[in-house]
Amino acid sequence: MPAIKILYFPLPGRAEPARLALAVGGIAFEDERISGADWASKVKPTVAPRQMPLMYVDGEAIGQSGAQMKYAAKLASVDGKPLYPTDALEALKVDEFCDIVAETFGPLGSTFSITDEAEKAAARTALVAEDGGITKWLVFVNDLLGKSSSGFAVGDSFTLADICTFTWLQPLKAGWLDGMPKDCLDKYANICKHAEKIANLPQVKNYYKDATGVHAVFKA
């Protein structure tokens, strides 16, 4: 097994799917979390134009979080089943589900460039309003999860699709984003039910049992 390190800020963000995939698969990795200042002054000049998160595999820096999480999921299995399906069609469905959930990043990402704090908070609140930019994707994900007979996002086992849904949506309610209501997911019954299921999987529950800060939102 290669030596793996994930380098990112002390937040879930786009690094969390790869972190969780490796952790639940029992794959050892170094989880280095650095400040924005250290990234800008010490790391970015050596890897540009790559951005965070970075995955180092046997010392080689690899960018692009989508590639990183798929690599991690291809290495990992839970209860004898791979996190990334070997069947091409099932893998396609997993990729689609992850990409659908990732659509929430676009509207949210645009708020980080707003300099006025009150305006930023108002913009984030609006994203989860009835006609908000994130709402339509939450509705879609909620509907898709409602069609699952297994409780998992795709198929009948835990996959990368579940990891993306769990790690990308739950932080919305963690309170670290000014203006994002902590109850923003409450009305999506299937998303909430799915989150409870994933949080209570033994491997996931063990990984987050001592989580603090924003990561505490993943605790069962």
Side-chain angles (χ1 to χ4, degrees), residues 110-131:
S110 64
T111 67
F112 285 92
S113 62
I114 301 174
T115 55
D116 182 85
E117 293 302 317
E119 182 183 349
K120 181 186 294 184
R124 288 173 176 166
T125 301
L127 288 176
V128 291
E130 186 174 351
D131 60 348

Side-chain angles (χ1 to χ4, degrees), residues 197-209:
K197 179 181 181 70
I198 301 308
N200 279 285
L201 293 176
Q203 298 88 343
V204 176
K205 188 173 184 177
N206 181 65
Y207 181 59
Y208 289 118
K209 67 180 187 298

Side-chain angles (χ1 to χ4, degrees), residues 9 34-45:
F9 306 115
I34 65 172
S35 67
D38 282 345
W39 157 249
S41 64
K42 299 177 181 180
V43 182
K44 187 176 181 179

Side-chain angles (χ1 to χ4, degrees), residues 87-100 153-155 161:
D87 178 82
L89 180 56
E90 289 302 301
L92 176 63
K93 292 178 181 178
V94 166
D95 288 346
E96 182 203 29
F97 210 104
C98 292
D99 287 350
I100 289 169
V154 175

Side-chain angles (χ1 to χ4, degrees), residues 8-9 11-19 52-53 65-66 69 97-113 123-124 127-128 133-138 141 160-161 163-172 176-177 180 214 218:
Y8 195 56
F9 306 115
L11 296 168
R14 289 188 175 272
E16 201 65 17
R19 286 173 178 154
M52 293 262 265
S65 59
M69 69 183 189
F97 210 104
C98 292
D99 287 350
I100 289 169
V101 179
E103 292 287 354
T104 60
F105 278 113
L108 181 60
S110 64
T111 67
F112 285 92
S113 62
R124 288 173 176 166
L127 288 176
V128 291
I134 289 179
T135 299
K136 66 178 181 180
W137 296 109
L138 293 178
V141 172
L160 182 60
I163 288 177
C164 288
T165 304
F166 182 64
T167 62
W168 285 344
L169 295 188
Q170 291 308 299
L172 291 175
W176 72 286
L177 292 166
M180 187 63 67
V214 179
F218 301 127

Side-chain angles (χ1 to χ4, degrees), residues 4-53:
I4 299 173
K5 179 173 80 170
I6 294 178
L7 182 70
Y8 195 56
F9 306 115
L11 296 168
R14 289 188 175 272
E16 201 65 17
R19 286 173 178 154
L20 183 55
L22 292 171
V24 299
I27 298 171
F29 72 102
E30 181 182 351
D31 185 5
E32 184 176 352
R33 307 183 184 195
I34 65 172
S35 67
D38 282 345
W39 157 249
S41 64
K42 299 177 181 180
V43 182
K44 187 176 181 179
T46 70
V47 297
R50 291 187 178 93
Q51 298 292 317
M52 293 262 265

